Amino acid sequence: MESVVFIFSLIDCCALIFLSVYFIITLSDLECDYINARSCCSKLNKWVVPELIGHTVVTVLMFVSLHWFIFLLNLPVASWNIYRFVMVPSGNMGVFDPTEIHNRGQLKSHMKEAMIKLGFHLLCFFMYLYSMILALIND
Amino acid sequence: MSAPAGIPPRPAAAPGGARAPAARPRAPPCRNGPVQSQVHFPSGYSLNPENYSAPSTHYPQVPHEAIPSQLDNQYIADYHSACYSVPAQSVMTHSIGPGMLNTQQLYGGAPHPVESSGGLLQEAVSSASHLHTSVPQSYSAMSSHYISSTSSSVASQGFPLSSGHYAMPSVSSAVYPHLSYPAMSIGSPYRQVLTSQSLPAVGQFKETNAFPGQSTIVPRTLQQQVTLGYNSTSWSTSDFQSAQENLSRNHTGSVAKASNQINTVGIVDSSHPVNQNVQFTKPGVETSVSSVVTSSVRTPAADHLIEPASVPSSTQPPESLLQEGMQYGGYVNNQASSAPAPLSSSSDDEEEDEEDEEAAIDSSSTTSSASPVTNNYDALEGGGYPETDSATSSPAPPPQISRNTKPFGYGYPTLQPGYQNATLPTSAMQPSNPGHQSGFQQYPQQYPGVNQLSSSLGGLSLQHSQQPESLRPVNLIQERNILPVSPVLAPVPNLNSDLRKLNCNPDSFRCTLTNIPQTQALLNKAKLPLGLLLHPFRDLTQLPVITSSTIVRCRSCRTYINPFVSFIDQRRWKCNLCYRVNDVPEEFMYNPLTRSYGEPHKRPEVQNSTVEFIASSDYMLRPPQPAVYLFVLDVSHNAVEAGYLTIVCQSLLENLDKLPGDSRTRIGFVTFDSTVQFYNLQEGLSQPQMLIVSDIDDIFLPTPDSLLVNLHESKELIKDLLNALPNMFTNTRETHSALGPALQAAFKLMSPTGGRISVFQSQLPSLGAGLLHSREDPNQRSSTKVVQHLGPATDFYKKLALDCSGQQTAVDLFLLSSQYSDLASLACMSKYSAGCIYYYPSFHHSHNPTQAEKLQKDLKRYFTRKIGFEAVMRIRCTKGLSIHTFHGNFFVRSTDLLSLANVNPDAGFAVQMSIEESLTDTSLVCFQTALLYTSSKGERRIRVHTLCLPVVTSLADVYAGADVQAAVCLLANMAVDRSVSSSLSDARDALVNAVVDSLSAYISSASNLQQSTLIAPNSLKLFPLYVLALLKQKAFRTGTSTRLDDRVYAMCQIKSQPLGHLMKMIHPNLYRIDRLTDEGAIHVNDRVVPQPPLQKLSAEKLTREGAFLMDCGSIFYIWIGKNCDNSFIKDVLGYPNYASVPQKLTQLPELDTLSSERARSFISWLRDSRPLSPVLQVIKDESPAKTDFFHHLIEDRTEAAFSYYEFLVHIQQQICK
């Protein structure tokens, strides 16, 4: 049972890593003017909710399966995701707003955030991998 | 190239003199076009030299760059700049005058005397307010000078040198005749102009018809006219162009001054000649594009009146044929000599094509083959040297050198000596002109003059290592009268006088810190915001317009060549933003002004920090769009009741011919209530057809191709519709408003072309997409805690705006509502599509005449002002600086590219900057704004502004260069962002903290000051006052009842108004006007304008015996005290006593008394200084409008806010904490 949990988490984590890389690539495209703000933001906003769901599911799963350490590790990131999504002003077009993204260094902070998430997911990936192997051996 | 589509480019072999006759036949078709004044055409001629004066004065730059022993030159040069500090100028020049004159001749040959005297003239004239009085006098100066110089020195000296100089055979044959026989060319080119004019008889007659009206204003002598003629023809390549320039300018009516004057002169007939000019000039564009390099200069608008007088009344000199032949030959030769160059060049990439930046790298450089001219260059240098020596007999170098000319590798040091020497010829001209004195009196206006002495002294004395005026500590609490008596001027950057002269006008381009700190750490220490305030599309009275097949730009950073680049040698220039060394294209070597070769540093691009290029097709993604205007009008019950339709339709009817555009202009109308109505105006219909679409959930266009129609073809139908519209909906009972669907329809209608949508809305949109709900709680209006709903409620309008922006369509919003309409949401449609927002709270055509009048005036300006379509703006800055936030109405498309679907002359922008790398290896930083747009005539143009500022390393210097007005405006922009993204109270705290931080940083940096007192440097002494004013501004005030829409509108204005207007909004000017005297008065247009001192904004200054004028930018209040002198009321207001003055008085009667004349001339002078004509409101002491007036008295205490003194005490407490 435990191994199933970790296999699922591993797959989910892989997806999140790919998503983070995609965010980074798209944002750096915007930085280099390869795409314009509008298309960049509409691309990214599409994936904000999947990312949120993916990460929340893992977090909840860890909570349910009583892996406290991993749950607590995931909790801040998951809550940040939710907070960010909820706090979008009503007039904005999503977490990434094309009219704001070039202002007040938002692009840089989005970039930084995506980088941090990538690192976090990589860390989680190895943790899930280790736990999965451990669980498989134990089984 | 940039010629309008449909007119084939003229063959390259038909340049110069042949142009005008060829152009003529095109004239008739356009005769019914928009009404214009014919004045432009001649003015283009005579004024070119003025604008081009700079080249001659800066001529000596070359020798110095080439001379290996830099140091000597620097010293000499710097000495000059020191000597020639403003007041001393006239004195100094007398002694060295004659010598200078000769060298001038040596250099430039014949055209120069005229040209450079024109230069003086330009400088004299350039302060716009003095234009009229000064011009005629200076002209006489010019002519006299002209005669003296040509007769004496040119023939002997200019001759041999110029021949040696122009060694390249083909070019020399072209240029030579002009240079060496000026006496002959006096008459003949003039004649040439005339002949070309007189070809079609009709046009000529009409022009002459119009002249008498004008010639009465400016009497002229024949001699002067001849001079003018000479001037004009020496640049005849460009004249047609410039005429067109003027035309398109005034065509839009954007030069308020010019059009005013035209009206006063009363030229009824004026439309016809100008229409000819339209046609007349267009071919000129084509030819000039095909010929090698042509340049034209936009002329000071005010001079338009004067110039035409000369053209018809003069006799035609006889030698025309000969001269014409010469000129023609000259052109052909030029053509031949440099024909290869333009072909190989000129493939610059455009602003829009960012992706192709790299691909186009090799574009701007043309052939860089060695030319025979290099030898001349040395000869030239030799010629230049004695002059410098003789001029600078005193050896003492000033201490300033080390500051401005750091010997770093970036070329500035070599640049500066050249510039500095360049002043000499200018000043040397003065003594030789007996008549020049008159011009010189205006001269200080351009340089830091009497008025600006205090600020410029700051810069000067800094150089002498004393404490500058701007650093003088001011004890804010003790200083009672902190406000100066005259309006605050922008500080002058601490550059040497020549760079300062070249620098961009602060009205267009201003930086919050005129001394840029070297590192971010230093900037952080200073606690002042760093940013730029831009007004890039401002109505200019004078603008050099350059037509050239190659627009010279840096190959790596795409910076346009500007006055602050350095020429390493004659063939290479170093970019001042990225420091790349670029080649000078072959074409750039030829100077169309002097008709000389090998002087790239004298080109107008390098002599003016504000220039406009006519862009080639490389700068277009599609053919230039026509002017397209769509009006979306609310016709629900609410709107009809308010009665705005009558005003809009009437105003549009009046200005239909003045709408900027060409023969392709299109116009359309959409009205909406709960349905959307379209109007079929297709040519051939007997009357307009109304098409009603009631399916607002899925809006469609009933007849897509006949809703936007050609203005000229369907003019009668449009007029019918405009006459009928106000009465069509009088009995409507429809209260709903389907704004969203109407906008969607408008977007569909506009998306193929792009253009301007003008939306008139009178209530909260209540149907269909984009419907809004009332969010305002009236009880919270005066809350001190939380102000909610400053942001939009829905992203519908934002999305729509971005869609529009993508299709080059701007949406302008006119909100005329009596109740809450959620401007915060609606404004998004204009904010992100680069539109503009007008708001008329409680608008009613009869109950609220002030607002009705304001709407009328705004509409007049709105319809007739200049407009640029499909524009993009890019702001570049020296490597090391970066822009991180933009403020204004636009969409930021990429990191430094602003997409502006429309750009209008009243739009201002602000950017915040940070210092990413320290600027240790440079002593100057530059900022460049390039605005690429399509003019209403379908021309692609690029307007480039360049600002140059020094870099400093000490904190004291940073404070010395602080521009308090710019800083406050930037802070206001930041505060708006903060209040939307965070909260209003956050924004208010941030504003207060800005003052507290900067002042405490200053106090702690200046160790000798007492820590306990509130001290500010002189440059920042108004900072607390302005911030207090901001806190009491509608946008940020709390505790006083403020409607949400009013607040949001004030925020929108802060974001989009240019600095001058914004400052008046924040801190109005108060004058006492019941005792105006002529003391210190200035003369404008033969009128005496009294200059009353500024009063501080406090009730203590208001006496019951007086009358006061408050200038709030868009509104004038005249407050009359209870015991106001009866003679004032009688003489100025036209009422017998105070009691009989009505409550709602909005105009001053034209009474024939001295005090009335003074008051009116003062008010109209204030009005003329801004594009939007403000409304006037007379307020009696007991009238209800009094509260509006008293809200602006920001130094006083209100129940919710500090008085100025309390605010200072508060700041002091904060600092001491």
Side-chain angles (χ1 to χ4, degrees), chain B residues 81-94 430 440 443-444 447-454 456-457 460 497 500:
Chain B
S81 70
C83 286
Y84 284 57
S85 62
V86 182
Q89 201 145 18
S90 60
V91 184
M92 289 302 296
T93 46
H94 277 282
Q430 289 162 8
F440 184 66
Y443 202 67
Y447 301 95
V450 184
N451 291 337
Q452 303 171 350
L453 254 185
S454 62
S456 67
L457 264 182
L460 287 174
S497 62
R500 199 181 283 174

Side-chain angles (χ1 to χ4, degrees), chain B residues 14-336:
Chain B
R19 174 177 311 150
R24 267 290 138 167
R26 294 175 189 277
C30 198
R31 203 153 287 162
N32 288 330
V35 176
Q36 286 297 319
S37 66
Q38 41 63 262
V39 282
H40 318 297
F41 168 48
S43 65
Y45 282 85
S46 57
L47 279 160
N48 278 333
E50 296 181 13
N51 291 324
Y52 278 148
S53 59
S56 72
T57 58
H58 294 287
Y59 198 91
Q61 185 190 349
V62 176
H64 290 283
E65 282 173 7
I67 292 168
S69 61
Q70 282 297 343
L71 205 59
D72 282 1
N73 283 315
Q74 280 179 21
Y75 276 87
I76 290 162
D78 283 329
Y79 170 67
H80 274 283
S81 70
C83 286
Y84 284 57
S85 62
V86 182
Q89 201 145 18
S90 60
V91 184
M92 289 302 296
T93 46
H94 277 282
S95 57
I96 45 171
M100 309 307 307
L101 197 71
N102 285 343
T103 44
Q104 176 102 32
Q105 305 299 333
L106 285 174
Y107 279 135
H112 279 283
V114 179
E115 182 194 343
S116 45
S117 58
L120 292 175
L121 206 142
Q122 175 204 4
E123 280 146 4
V125 168
S126 62
S127 68
S129 56
H130 298 272
L131 279 171
H132 275 260
T133 47
S134 65
V135 168
Q137 296 161 346
S138 339
Y139 264 114
S140 64
M142 189 171 83
S143 67
S144 63
H145 167 65
Y146 172 73
I147 282 160
S148 67
S149 56
T150 44
S151 57
S152 60
S153 52
V154 172
S156 57
Q157 295 183 341
F159 207 123
L161 233 163
S162 53
S163 67
H165 173 56
Y166 296 108
M168 212 159 130
S170 59
V171 176
S172 70
S173 69
V175 179
Y176 197 70
H178 286 282
L179 291 175
S180 50
Y181 297 112
M184 199 162 71
S185 65
I186 290 175
S188 48
Y190 181 58
R191 159 67 197 258
Q192 179 200 347
V193 172
L194 267 183
T195 37
S196 66
Q197 259 186 337
S198 58
L199 272 180
V202 189
Q204 179 67 12
F205 288 145
K206 287 205 167 141
E207 276 173 344
T208 28
N209 279 345
F211 282 121
Q214 296 182 325
S215 53
T216 49
I217 309 169
V218 187
R220 287 181 161 269
T221 66
L222 188 63
Q223 192 181 44
Q224 285 165 343
Q225 289 153 12
V226 171
T227 323
L228 286 174
Y230 171 65
N231 282 344
S232 64
T233 35
S234 50
W235 320 119
S236 62
T237 355
S238 52
D239 290 334
F240 298 107
Q241 196 103 56
S242 69
Q244 192 197 20
E245 254 321 287
N246 295 324
L247 185 75
S248 66
R249 215 176 147 60
N250 282 323
H251 197 65
T252 64
S254 56
V255 184
K257 209 169 259 175
S259 54
N260 284 345
Q261 285 150 2
I262 290 158
N263 289 338
T264 51
V265 176
I267 309 164
V268 184
D269 199 80
S270 59
S271 64
H272 298 284
V274 169
N275 288 330
Q276 288 164 0
N277 280 336
V278 177
Q279 292 304 320
F280 187 59
T281 50
K282 262 192 184 145
V285 178
E286 293 161 37
T287 32
S288 61
V289 170
S290 58
S291 74
V292 188
V293 178
T294 29
S295 313
S296 66
V297 174
R298 182 173 287 170
T299 61
D303 285 72
H304 293 178
L305 273 186
I306 296 158
E307 303 319 329
S310 65
V311 176
S313 56
S314 65
T315 54
Q316 300 181 350
E319 307 97 320
S320 67
L321 280 178
L322 174 61
Q323 186 59 32
E324 231 177 286
M326 281 176 158
Q327 203 160 26
Y328 193 85
Y331 264 100
V332 172
N333 280 336
N334 289 341
Q335 194 71 42

Side-chain angles (χ1 to χ4, degrees), chain A residues 30-38 89-94 97-105 107-108, chain B residues 354-355 775 792-795 798-799 802-803 832 874 884-886 891-896 916 977 981:
Chain A
L30 179 66
E31 239 175 4
C32 306
D33 285 1
Y34 292 137
I35 50 173
N36 73 41
R38 187 111 201 256
S90 55
N92 277 17
M93 292 162 71
D97 189 272
T99 59
E100 306 265 323
I101 197 156
H102 283 295
N103 272 3
R104 297 188 294 278
L107 185 54
K108 271 184 194 158
Chain B
E354 308 92 43
E355 290 87 347
R775 297 188 289 167
T794 161
D795 63 358
K798 194 184 239 181
K799 276 182 178 153
L802 293 182
D803 287 338
Y832 302 109
R874 181 161 262 158
H884 64 85
T885 305
F886 300 87
F891 173 51
V892 190
R893 209 159 61 190
S894 72
T895 41
D896 60 349
E916 298 220 314
D977 272 4
S981 65

Side-chain angles (χ1 to χ4, degrees), chain B residues 761-1005:
Chain B
Q761 168 73 4
S762 70
Q763 57 174 318
L764 209 59
S766 56
L767 271 186
L771 87 165
L772 298 167
H773 303 284
S774 180
R775 297 188 289 167
E776 188 189 32
D777 178 3
N779 299 325
Q780 294 291 315
R781 276 182 192 162
S782 58
S783 142
T784 50
K785 288 174 216 134
V786 192
V787 178
Q788 285 175 311
H789 309 308
L790 291 171
T794 161
D795 63 358
F796 172 82
Y797 295 99
K798 194 184 239 181
K799 276 182 178 153
L800 184 96
L802 293 182
D803 287 338
C804 285
S805 176
Q807 300 298 328
Q808 308 295 352
T809 306
V811 186
D812 293 342
L813 172 67
F814 289 79
L815 185 61
L816 317 115
S817 68
S818 42
Q819 67 252 0
Y820 177 72
S821 310
D822 201 353
L823 184 62
S825 303
L826 292 180
C828 284
M829 69 170 116
S830 302
K831 262 187 201 166
Y832 302 109
S833 66
C836 47
I837 302 158
Y838 295 88
Y839 175 52
Y840 305 89
S842 27
F843 178 88
H844 195 279
H845 66 107
S846 58
H847 298 167
N848 197 341
T850 325
Q851 293 289 2
E853 192 193 344
K854 189 166 183 305
L855 175 66
Q856 248 166 354
K857 286 184 168 172
D858 287 355
L859 281 176
K860 185 168 190 299
R861 165 78 182 159
Y862 177 75
F863 288 140
T864 54
R865 73 185 173 190
K866 225 178 136 180
I867 184 169
F869 295 101
E870 43 187 2
V872 285
M873 183 163 82
R874 181 161 262 158
I875 303 162
R876 297 181 171 90
C877 41
T878 298
K879 203 166 70 178
L881 293 170
S882 74
I883 298 170
H884 64 85
T885 305
F886 300 87
H887 303 279
N889 288 356
F890 47 70
F891 173 51
V892 190
R893 209 159 61 190
S894 72
T895 41
D896 60 349
L897 185 77
L898 308 181
S899 152
L900 303 158
N902 284 2
V903 59
N904 68 69
D906 304 331
F909 305 92
V911 294
Q912 282 169 255
M913 328 216 23
S914 57
I915 303 167
E916 298 220 314
E917 301 164 36
S918 78
L919 305 162
T920 41
D921 44 2
T922 179
S923 59
L924 296 173
V925 291
C926 290
F927 307 93
Q928 188 173 69
T929 313
L931 176 72
L932 172 68
Y933 68 97
T934 303
S935 77
S936 50
K937 295 273 178 290
E939 263 183 327
R940 205 74 174 135
R941 285 164 169 260
I942 310 164
R943 186 173 292 186
V944 180
H945 301 276
T946 316
L947 179 73
C948 176
L949 295 173
V951 175
V952 295
T953 50
S954 80
L955 195 56
D957 286 347
V958 176
Y959 282 115
D963 181 345
V964 65
Q965 291 196 325
V968 164
C969 289
L970 188 64
L971 280 175
N973 275 301
M974 291 158 70
V976 171
D977 272 4
R978 177 70 77 90
S979 36
V980 175
S981 65
S982 174
S983 74
L984 191 66
S985 55
D986 262 20
R988 287 172 58 89
D989 290 347
L991 282 174
V992 177
N993 287 339
V995 183
V996 171
D997 290 347
S998 59
L999 290 188
S1000 64
Y1002 172 74
I1003 291 171
S1004 57
S1005 75

